[in-house]
Amino acid sequence: MTVMEPFGARLRRAMDERGPLCVGIDPHASLLAEWGLNDDVAGLERFSRTVVEAMADRVAVLKPQSAFFERFGSRGVAVLEKSVQEARAAGALVVMDAKRGDIGSTMAAYAESFLHKDAPLFSDALTVSPYLGYGSLKPAVDLARESGAGLFVLALTSNPEGGEVQRAVREDGRSVGATMLAHLAAENAGEEPLGSFGAVVGATLGDLSSYDLGINGPLLAPGIGAQGATPADLPRVFGAAVRDVVPNVSRGVLRHGPDVAALRRAADRFAGEIRTAVTAS
C-alpha cells in the first residue's frame, strides 16, 4: 500500500492555500426540495455532483455525511463513492462524516471501509466516536497512520445532549471530553506542521478556556452559519488553537444552490471571513 504524505501536513497546506473552510455535503430531503430536486437517487446524484463541481477546486475540505447517502441503499452509496473520488481528484480533502465507533474486528472493518487506500470509499479522514473507550479506536488509528489518513474524534460536540457524556467528570477529576483531547495530544506529539488526529469541537460552545485545545492537531468545528456561530466567534471560542480550526459550514453555503456561481460566492465569502478572523486573532 502506497503511503501518502500524512493527513495533517496535507490539511495544513490546503488550509493555508485555500483558506480554513470545510463545506458539508448534506443532501437531506428538505435541502433537495429547496433545490427543486426529488428525494430520490437522481436528486441525490444531481445535488452531490453540483456541490463537488462548485467547491472541490477551491475549498480545503469537503465533508459528505454518509447517512444521507446510505438511506438510498446501494445506489446511494455508489453516488457517495463517485462524489468522494471526484472531490479528491479536483484537489479537495475529503472528511467522511460517518461517526463510526465499535470494538475489535468490527472497528477494524469500519476502518478498512474508509481508511484503506484501496477502498472504494477511501477518504482523507474519518469522523469516529470514542465512547466505547478511546482504546477501541486503535484499529482506525493504526490504519490511518499506515495510509496517511486522519481521524476526527468526537470530543466536545455542538449538540446540547453531548454534554451529559462529554462533560461528565471521571474519578481523576478530568472530564470525558478533556480526556479525549489528552489522548489526541499524545497521538500528535512531535508531528509537524500538524498532527493527523483531530477533535470535533463545536463552534457554538462559547468559552472553552478550561479545556486544553492545543492538541497539535486539527479541530473540526461545526456550528458556523445556520447553527448560530459566526467566523468572528472563532478566536473567542478556540483561543490560541484558532489557527488549527477547520470551521464547518453546511446549510450556510448549500442554501445558495443549485446555482454553481452562487455556491462559489457563498463559500468564498465564508472562507474570507474565517481567514480574517483567524489572522486578526
Side-chain angles (χ1 to χ4, degrees):
M1 181 172 61
T2 302
V3 178
M4 295 187 299
E5 182 182 22
F7 171 68
R10 292 184 289 122
L11 177 61
R12 175 81 277 158
R13 184 167 59 250
M15 292 168 66
D16 290 345
E17 293 176 355
R18 294 186 171 200
L21 176 65
C22 169
V23 175
I25 307 180
D26 297 351
H28 47 76
S30 62
L31 195 50
L32 292 176
E34 287 181 27
W35 280 34
L37 301 173
N38 292 328
D39 187 22
D40 56 20
V41 173
L44 175 74
E45 186 170 20
R46 174 70 182 277
F47 180 95
S48 302
R49 185 172 64 246
T50 301
V51 175
V52 171
E53 176 188 350
M55 302 291 161
D57 66 345
R58 67 188 53 225
V59 302
V61 180
L62 286 174
K63 183 175 70 63
Q65 169 47 259
S66 66
F68 293 124
F69 295 83
E70 292 172 29
R71 69 193 184 100
F72 292 104
S74 60
R75 292 193 298 161
V77 174
V79 174
L80 179 59
E81 289 179 8
K82 186 175 182 180
S83 298
V84 169
Q85 292 161 8
E86 291 182 350
R88 297 189 71 243
L93 299 178
V94 172
V95 173
M96 181 63 69
D97 194 354
K99 299 182 179 70
R100 297 300 197 249
D102 215 307
I103 60 172
S105 60
T106 308
M107 189 67 237
Y110 281 140
E112 291 280 338
S113 299
F114 299 106
L115 300 173
H116 193 285
K117 193 67 171 62
D118 296 329
L121 283 168
F122 174 76
S123 303
D124 297 284
L126 171 69
T127 61
V128 291
S129 174
Y131 294 110
L132 287 173
Y134 183 85
S136 68
L137 300 179
K138 188 176 187 302
V141 171
D142 291 346
L143 187 54
R145 287 193 188 281
E146 291 176 17
S147 63
L151 298 177
F152 283 100
V153 176
L154 304 180
L156 296 167
T157 57
S158 56
N159 63 305
E161 304 88 348
E164 69 180 58
V165 174
Q166 296 156 17
R167 294 179 186 267
V169 177
R170 292 158 30 100
E171 290 182 357
D172 63 4
R174 188 164 57 179
S175 72
V176 173
T179 300
M180 297 307 156
L181 294 170
H183 281 302
L184 292 168
E187 299 285 4
N188 294 321
E191 296 293 331
E192 294 181 358
L194 189 67
S196 297
F197 298 94
V200 179
V201 179
T204 57
L205 295 179
D207 183 8
L208 293 175
S209 59
S210 62
Y211 291 90
D212 185 358
L213 300 177
I215 63 170
N216 190 33
L219 302 170
L220 182 63
I224 301 290
Q227 292 185 48
T230 70
D233 293 326
L234 294 172
R236 175 177 57 84
V237 176
F238 293 95
V242 71
R243 186 171 178 268
D244 297 333
V245 171
V246 188
N248 177 70
V249 180
S250 294
R251 180 173 289 275
V253 170
L254 299 178
R255 67 183 178 83
H256 294 279
D259 182 78
V260 168
L263 287 166
R264 288 174 174 166
R265 286 194 297 270
D268 290 347
R269 177 174 61 83
F270 272 108
E273 291 178 0
I274 291 166
R275 192 192 293 272
T276 297
V278 170
T279 56
S281 62

